[in-house]
Each structure stands twice: as structure tokens, then as C-alpha cells.
Amino acid sequence: MDIGNQIKKFRTNLQLSQEMLAEKMCVSRQTVSNWETQKSYPDVHRLLQLGALFQVSLDQLLEGDIERMRQQVEQKEIDKLNRYSAVYAVFLPVTVLAAVPLVKWWGLGGALLWTVLLGATLIFALRLERLKRRHDIQTYREIVAFMENRPLDVERKQQELGKRPYQKILLAIGSAVSALLLCAALWSLFSH
């Protein structure tokens, strides 16, 4: 069952019209119609009111919809991770590659522009890290499993937890060395 059919079923059991239910819920009749046809869903406050009015638990009211709602929320989080990753993947190389040319060609103005670019890159890096922390995903395998909306088994999760400290250290060292080498190469290229 879905929530729209559940609302309609409980409403008709109480012999309420859509108008009568709308009045009790302080919403329009169109809103009740949209709930019943699943064009929209009631918010949490309204769900609690509906449960109290129909004298049913939220489990009964949401029968079959809890899993779908959970999947929709998870899909939004996956989409957000994809969006932040894409923006970060563009900003990071542009920020690294633009440092030397901007400073060489435009001096202080270029350095200020690069600082703004660096700030934008850091904002998306922090958003990504916050999202990863909220879902307890750090390693490549954990991120892939999250993006595919599948859990890791307990043994694999323990293996990935063991990798986290080493991966962070290696990532920090590798990133620093790569950035220094790239900046040195760009500096020598633009120095001539």
C-alpha cells in the first residue's frame, strides 16, 4: 500500500469528505487530493496529526511507504555527493593549475583571484567531507558502496575501517608532493 491510499482508506472509514479532512488538517481540499493521488506527501507534523485523527500508528499510516521514503532520502544524499564531487573535481585541478599563471600574469590581482578560487574549492571539499562523515564513508570502497546504495558486509566494513588511518596519511603526503611538483613545474615553465 502507499500513503495516498492509506489516507483515503482511513478518511472514508471515518466518513469524511476531502473537504472535511482538509478543514480538520488546516489545509486546502486540493492538498488532501494531492496526498491521496501522491502528487505530494504530508510533512511530518501533518502525518502525526493524521495518525491522531485516524487513531492509527504512523506504521499503519505509512504501511509500505517507509522503505520507499528512506530510499528517496538516500537517493537525494547520493545525488548531493555526486554533485559536490563533480564541482570539486573541476575546481581542484583549476585551482592547482591556475596558481602560478595568475600570480605571474596579474600579480596581486591574480593572487586575490586565486585566493577566491581556493576558497570555493575548500568550501566544496568541506561539504564533501561533512557528507562523508555523516554517512560514515571514507575509503574508496565505502564511497562506491554508498553511491550504489548497497551496504558493505560486516567483515568488509571492518577491513575498510582498518584502512582509514593509512589512507588519510598517504593521501595528505601524496597531495602535498603532487601540488609542490606541479607548482614547481609551472613556475619553471612560466619563468622563461
Side-chain angles (χ1 to χ4, degrees), residues 20-53:
M20 293 164 65
L21 178 60
E23 188 176 309
K24 289 182 182 293
M25 299 298 296
C26 299
V27 297
S28 68
R29 187 211 55 80
Q30 184 63 43
T31 299
V32 172
S33 175
N34 286 342
W35 291 344
E36 291 182 358
T37 58
Q38 296 196 69
K39 291 180 182 171
S40 67
Y41 295 100
D43 60 25
V44 173
H45 177 71
R46 298 280 187 238
L47 286 172
L48 293 171
Q49 284 181 320
L50 285 167
L53 176 68

Side-chain angles (χ1 to χ4, degrees), residues 75-192:
Q75 188 58 49
K76 285 181 183 178
E77 291 292 293
I78 292 168
D79 293 345
K80 191 185 296 185
L81 181 69
N82 285 330
R83 196 170 43 253
Y84 290 167
S85 297
V87 172
Y88 182 66
V90 170
F91 272 97
L92 183 62
V94 168
T95 302
V96 171
L97 293 173
V100 173
L102 284 174
V103 172
K104 279 287 199 181
W105 291 333
W106 293 331
L108 183 60
L112 290 174
L113 182 60
W114 183 80
T115 304
V116 170
L117 190 58
L118 177 65
T121 303
L122 290 175
I123 286 170
F124 280 96
L126 290 172
R127 286 181 177 178
L128 266 171
E129 285 303 313
R130 201 174 307 133
L131 190 61
K132 287 168 40 182
R133 193 176 316 117
R134 187 176 334 136
H135 294 284
D136 192 30
I137 54 174
Q138 294 296 319
T139 66
Y140 177 76
R141 192 164 282 150
E142 290 171 327
I143 293 169
V144 169
F146 176 77
M147 292 175 81
E148 292 174 353
N149 204 5
R150 63 175 171 76
L152 290 175
D153 61 27
V154 176
E155 183 179 329
R156 178 64 73 183
K157 184 70 175 176
Q158 289 303 317
Q159 289 174 348
E160 295 305 309
L161 288 173
K163 291 179 185 178
R164 286 182 181 182
Y166 305 108
Q167 285 184 342
K168 287 187 181 215
I169 292 168
L170 291 174
L171 180 63
I173 292 170
S175 297
V177 169
S178 298
L180 286 173
L181 290 174
L182 186 59
C183 285
L186 287 172
W187 187 265
S188 68
L189 180 68
F190 287 98
S191 291
H192 299 331

Side-chain angles (χ1 to χ4, degrees), residues 60-74:
Q60 290 171 302
L61 188 60
L62 297 173
E63 185 179 297
D65 279 348
I66 294 174
E67 181 61 27
R68 191 174 73 210
M69 288 178 175
R70 184 186 64 76
Q71 288 173 348
Q72 286 176 343
V73 167
E74 285 179 3

